[in-house]
Amino acid sequence: MVEVTAYTDGACSGNPGPGGWGVLLIARNGDRIVGERELKGGEADTTNNRMELLAAIHALEALTRKARITVVTDSQYLRRGITDWIGNWKRRGWKTASDRPVKNRDLWMRLDDIQQQHDVVWTWVRGHRGHPGNERSDQIARDGMQPFLSARNAGGSVADSGLREVRH
């Protein structure tokens, strides 16, 4: 049986600011790699947490059929949100324990919907510690941010530059 590992990461220059998300998907049949795919994108004005969520969403949305997938993230916000907090948020009508609206509700709802279609294991790794998959997804996320960062640094607005969300 083919199993998929998705290394996901988000990046942001300023928070909020230009941001990017990146995914490295690796499909294995036993010990043999049978496929790899990179995905990236970004937004002109976003937060790191939104980029972390979008990376996971795009990883799961890239799967064409039900799969067993391990999502590897360096974001405790993402891992704890989807494994520990989301049930209570839904029971409270998308409110936190302090009765405030859940931030990024739109993305949490999208992630919750898409994860129901797969057998997902959520794994956390400490970021920037030399883990190859995590380091690669970080670079992909920074690449996804680059068009938006370049537009900001050039003094123009992203809208003026004609740039839109980038997906590969």
Side-chain angles (χ1 to χ4, degrees):
M1 169 181 248
V2 174
E3 294 193 17
V4 178
T5 303
Y7 298 94
T8 66
D9 206 0
C12 209
S13 179
N15 202 16
W21 55 265
V23 178
L24 172 61
L25 290 167
I26 301 175
R28 288 185 173 84
N29 190 345
D31 290 336
R32 188 171 60 95
I33 293 177
V34 295
E36 279 191 27
R37 185 172 175 200
E38 294 182 357
L39 308 167
K40 67 181 176 183
E43 294 180 1
D45 189 32
T46 190
T47 65
N48 191 71
N49 284 340
R50 287 189 70 80
M51 295 296 96
E52 296 282 358
L53 285 160
L54 278 172
I57 289 166
H58 285 288
L60 295 173
E61 288 180 346
L63 303 173
T64 58
R65 60 182 174 263
K66 183 175 177 77
R68 179 173 297 142
I69 180 168
T70 300
V71 177
V72 181
T73 178
D74 62 8
S75 170
Q76 287 285 14
Y77 173 74
L78 171 60
R79 190 194 62 80
R80 294 196 65 210
I82 199 65
T83 62
D84 298 341
W85 305 331
I86 199 165
N88 287 331
W89 290 339
K90 292 192 306 188
R91 278 188 287 284
R92 292 186 198 109
W94 291 97
K95 301 276 185 173
T96 66
S98 58
D99 203 35
R100 293 191 177 134
V102 170
K103 290 181 181 178
N104 303 310
R105 174 183 172 178
D106 60 327
L107 297 181
W108 285 116
M109 291 175 76
R110 187 170 158 193
L111 181 59
D112 187 41
D113 285 345
I114 192 71
Q115 83 156 346
Q116 302 301 321
Q117 300 173 30
H118 303 287
D119 179 11
V120 184
V121 175
W122 297 91
T123 303
W124 179 80
V125 296
R126 188 170 303 280
H128 310 289
R129 294 291 198 266
H131 185 285
N134 177 255
E135 294 294 335
R136 183 66 194 130
S137 64
D138 177 66
Q139 181 60 56
I140 297 166
R142 285 186 281 125
D143 291 348
M145 174 177 57
Q146 195 57 49
F148 305 99
L149 189 57
S150 296
R152 181 187 73 180
N153 290 341
S157 73
V158 172
D160 292 341
S161 71
L163 295 174
R164 299 277 188 272
E165 182 175 4
V166 179
R167 293 185 189 178
H168 296 282

